[in-house]
Amino acid sequence: MRNPHVLVVDDEADIRALIKDILSDEGYGVAAAANASEARAARASHKFDLILLDIVMPGEIDGLQLADQIEAIAPEVQIIMCSGYSPKLAAGNRMRPGRRFLSKPVSRLKLAQTVREAIDS
């Protein structure tokens, strides 16, 4: 079986790099994108098992809208939403029940555990 592949989508370069390093150390194949356009391009060229999305991102759409688009075309992909704000503040009433959420700053242990659980489900 191949190593699971993860796409990290966050507008903050240091957060992307940190999460990418942690997940690479955990044995995942990891790619990163700074916004929805880059994420769509990465997804078009590669199959990901999980996408970790920042909720609040500048640009044409936010992480929740991108998650909706991804789920519509690839429902098998696991999605974890992430934000430095509480899910209620970051997402308002748009956070779907059942979506996984990580608060930033995220601990190495919590990130690894949440990603493992999502991929195993």
Side-chain angles (χ1 to χ4, degrees):
M1 183 175 162
R2 71 177 177 82
N3 286 350
H5 285 86
V6 177
L7 176 61
V8 177
V9 185
D10 197 298
D11 59 308
E12 296 181 51
D14 56 338
I15 300 287
R16 279 193 317 272
L18 176 64
I19 292 172
K20 185 175 180 179
D21 288 346
I22 291 170
L23 295 178
S24 293
D25 288 349
E26 292 291 320
Y28 298 104
V30 185
N35 55 45
S37 296
E38 287 182 18
R40 283 193 292 270
R43 223 195 83 46
S45 66
H46 193 82
K47 180 184 181 325
F48 293 98
D49 301 288
L50 182 138
I51 300 176
L52 189 109
L53 285 169
D54 187 15
I55 291 176
V56 180
M57 293 188 299
E60 74 275 17
I61 63 172
D62 65 18
L64 290 168
Q65 292 165 309
L66 181 57
D68 290 342
Q69 289 177 1
I70 292 166
E71 287 175 344
I73 60 173
E76 73 283 359
V77 175
Q78 295 295 311
I79 294 176
I80 299 173
M81 304 308 300
C82 191
S83 181
Y85 303 99
S86 73
K88 189 93 171 143
L89 264 177
N93 294 328
R94 299 180 308 134
M95 185 76 162
R96 283 195 184 160
R99 273 194 183 152
R100 289 176 175 84
F101 178 83
L102 283 172
S103 293
K104 291 192 278 185
V106 63
S107 76
R108 178 181 204 94
L109 182 63
K110 182 68 174 171
L111 174 63
Q113 176 185 2
T114 304
V115 168
R116 190 175 324 107
E117 287 172 356
I119 288 178
D120 289 346
S121 67

